[in-house]
């Protein structure tokens, strides 16, 4: 089954990353900070999904 939450996060991250690269935004810009937050959200979600089901 498709994980729509994960797909949405990854899509937003790709879009923000493309914008940041195109504009040459510094690391402390709001877009780059949002990318870091999305990375943390993705990691937390993947860790939650990987927990074994008893």
């Amino acid at each position: 089954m498709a994980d729509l939450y994960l797909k949405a996060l990854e899509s937003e991250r790709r879009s923000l990353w493309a914008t940041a690269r195109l504009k040459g935004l510094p690391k402390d810009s709001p877009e780059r900070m949002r990318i870091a937050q999305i990375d943390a959200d993705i990691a937390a979600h993947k860790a939650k999904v990987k927990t074994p089901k008893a």
Side-chain angles (χ1 to χ4, degrees), residues 15-33:
S15 175
L16 285 171
W17 184 247
T19 301
R21 293 287 293 172
L22 183 65
K23 294 181 179 179
L25 298 176
K27 289 186 179 184
D28 61 343
S29 68
E31 290 87 352
R32 297 281 299 263
M33 287 185 210

Side-chain angles (χ1 to χ4, degrees), residues 31-42:
E31 290 87 352
R32 297 281 299 263
M33 287 185 210
R34 177 65 181 143
I35 291 169
Q37 179 61 42
I38 290 172
D39 287 342
D41 291 345
I42 288 172

